[in-house]
Structure formats: structure tokens, C-alpha cells
């Protein structure tokens, strides 16, 4: 199993919006997670469940997920300004998948990380442009 899959799934699951699996740099998040196969993670129920436990229940996380969790507030605050196009693309894939197949989990993630939906409001233009229907959040 590729350890990098954990880093990416967390990002995508996080907000089922534009969450991005990456680590912090000065101007742009690192690209070390760019080649993660997010589709295989989303389709593997065991991996997905482990990522969500990390995110929602603060269960044991691998280092890549822990690193990502540290950056979630900044990602939300800046509408992922430091995210690469690849991060945004992968985030969009996961967001759309999660919203279609696991909307209850999306709500739990949003309730934990954006309970007032401030992120959704702040980033609504970018989300809509990405094809993410924010009215479902």
C-alpha cells in the first residue's frame, strides 16, 4: 500500500470541496502528493474509512495526514491560495465523489471544520467555478 494515498485522501475528504493534500511551503504547497491515485482511495472503503477516522475522530493518522491537518485552517482561510492546479483538480474529484456517494460524511466533515460555513461563503465563487454545488453543504 502506498503511504502517500493517506495524505491525499484526507485532503479530499476534508471538505468535499477543495481540500488539498499537501504540505506547507512559503508560497505554494509542496507537490509531493501530486501523483497520488485519488480514485483508488475513494473506491477503497477501508482506506477511505481510515482517512475519515483521522479527520473526524482524531484517530491515529500517518504523518502525511497529520501534516495536512495542520494546514486545513490556512487552506480554508485563503481558499487554497497556495494549492497547485493539481491539488485543486484532485480536490475537486474527491469533493464531487464524496458529495454524490457519501453526503452524510461531507456534512460531518463540514460540521467539524466549517460549522458556520464561513469557508463555503468565502470561497463560493471558486467552488462554483469548479463545479461544486455549495448549496448542498
Amino acid at each position: 500500500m502506498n503511504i502517500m494515498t493517506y495524505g491525499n485522501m484526507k485532503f479530499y475528504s476534508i471538505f468535499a470541496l477543495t481540500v488539498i493534500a499537501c504540505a506547507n511551503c512559503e508560497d505554494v504547497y509542496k507537490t509531493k502528493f501530486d501523483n497520488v491515485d485519488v480514485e483508488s482511495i475513494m473506491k477503497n472503503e477501508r482506506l477511505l474509512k481510515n482517512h475519515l477516522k483521522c479527520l473526524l475522530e482524531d484517530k491515529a493518522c500517518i504523518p502525511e495526514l497529520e501534516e495536512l491537518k495542520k494546514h486545513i485552517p490556512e487552506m480554508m482561510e485563503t481558499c487554497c491560495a497556495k494549492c497547485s492546479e493539481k491539488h485543486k483538480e484532485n480536490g475537486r474529484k474527491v469533493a464531487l465523489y464524496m458529495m454524490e456517494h457519501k453526503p452524510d460524511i461531507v456534512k460531518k466533515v463540514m460540521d467539524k471544520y466549517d460549522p458556520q460555513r464561513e469557508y463555503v461563503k468565502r470561497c463560493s465563487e471558486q467552488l462554483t467555478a469548479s463545479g461544486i454545488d455549495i448549496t448542498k453543504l
Side-chain angles (χ1 to χ4, degrees):
M1 176 186 330
N2 183 345
I3 248 177
M4 294 306 226
T5 59
Y6 287 97
N8 250 19
M9 191 61 235
K10 188 247 182 197
F11 159 76
Y12 311 119
S13 302
I14 288 185
F15 307 102
L17 299 172
T18 57
V19 181
I20 295 87
C22 49
N24 193 12
C25 283
E26 284 192 27
D27 292 34
V28 179
Y29 295 111
K30 292 181 182 178
T31 60
K32 72 181 190 173
F33 297 114
D34 281 359
N35 296 318
V36 174
D37 182 359
V38 296
E39 285 89 2
S40 67
I41 297 168
M42 292 183 291
K43 293 176 183 175
N44 183 320
E45 199 62 36
R46 184 183 57 78
L47 283 178
L48 183 58
K49 186 176 180 178
N50 286 337
H51 291 307
L52 294 170
K53 281 183 179 181
C54 171
L55 295 176
L56 294 173
E57 302 171 17
D58 294 323
K59 298 290 181 183
C61 299
I62 62 167
E64 290 82 2
L65 285 174
E66 286 296 336
E67 180 69 20
L68 179 63
K69 281 173 67 170
K70 289 191 290 186
H71 301 295
I72 291 171
E74 179 184 46
M75 289 178 199
M76 293 174 64
E77 180 68 29
T78 65
C79 301
C80 221
K82 293 183 179 182
C83 298
S84 70
E85 288 306 312
K86 182 66 175 180
H87 296 147
K88 292 176 185 178
E89 174 188 331
N90 283 341
R92 180 181 177 281
K93 286 178 187 178
V94 173
L96 294 172
Y97 175 86
M98 293 296 292
M99 290 175 76
E100 181 178 343
H101 299 284
K102 304 211 179 273
D104 56 319
I105 300 295
V106 174
K107 184 176 180 342
K108 287 179 183 178
V109 171
M110 293 301 297
D111 288 347
K112 178 170 182 168
Y113 291 97
D114 190 19
Q116 304 302 315
R117 303 305 190 255
E118 293 174 20
Y119 168 70
V120 171
K121 292 173 193 169
R122 184 179 309 110
C123 304
S124 64
E125 188 175 312
Q126 293 93 324
L127 295 170
T128 302
S130 294
I132 299 169
D133 183 359
I134 59 170
T135 62
K136 294 181 180 180
L137 303 174

